Amino acid sequence: QVQVVESGGGWVQDGGSLSLSCATSGSIFTMVAMGWYRQSPGKERELVATVNAGHGTTYADSVQGRFTISRLNAKNTVYLQMNSLKPEDTAVYFCNARGYSDYHTSFDAWGQGTVVTVSS
């Protein structure tokens, strides 16, 4: 069993910054990748950014250049620094962790989400 907990959501004005954190715990033998996804009313959940075990990163085109994902491997923790926030960034942000609990058991765990609201 792997637990994922997000924190750092809040309310900011257009152009502001916010930093999100994601902490994991439980039976983690090796972490393959971690990432952030978001979902706003009337839209499906979408990928925001991911980071793999080798610290390689991917970003959605909509956040490229504004958001930065980073990972602290020793604690299986991931962060999302969000700058130049726009109202369209408003959403519930979810943290995802994928890996293996042992040699033959994989996991794909999600947090409960943290709300980010950007006002105009």
Side-chain angles (χ1 to χ4, degrees):
Q1 182 78 2
V2 176
Q3 293 78 46
V4 180
V5 180
E6 306 97 334
S7 62
W11 174 79
V12 296
Q13 293 183 320
D14 190 357
S17 298
L18 201 62
S19 182
L20 306 181
S21 298
C22 174
T24 62
S25 61
S27 184
I28 302 173
F29 173 66
T30 185
M31 190 76 79
V32 173
M34 299 182 71
W36 290 94
Y37 296 74
R38 67 186 182 187
Q39 186 170 23
S40 58
K43 300 178 67 177
E44 294 186 351
R45 186 169 60 186
E46 64 177 351
L47 183 148
V48 176
T50 63
V51 57
N52 63 25
H55 297 280
T57 59
T58 60
Y59 295 92
D61 289 342
S62 59
V63 306
Q64 187 80 47
R66 299 188 297 119
F67 291 10
T68 302
I69 188 170
S70 60
R71 178 179 174 181
L72 183 61
N73 288 344
K75 294 185 176 182
N76 288 317
T77 302
V78 68
Y79 307 92
L80 185 68
Q81 179 63 47
M82 304 182 292
N83 298 324
S84 301
L85 284 162
K86 306 173 182 179
E88 48 264 45
D89 294 318
T90 295
V92 180
Y93 284 70
F94 297 90
C95 181
N96 172 248
R98 296 188 295 108
Y100 291 86
S101 297
D102 53 42
Y103 287 110
H104 51 82
T105 306
S106 63
F107 67 84
D108 185 353
W110 294 86
Q112 79 290 339
T114 186
V115 178
V116 172
T117 302
V118 185
S119 64
S120 60

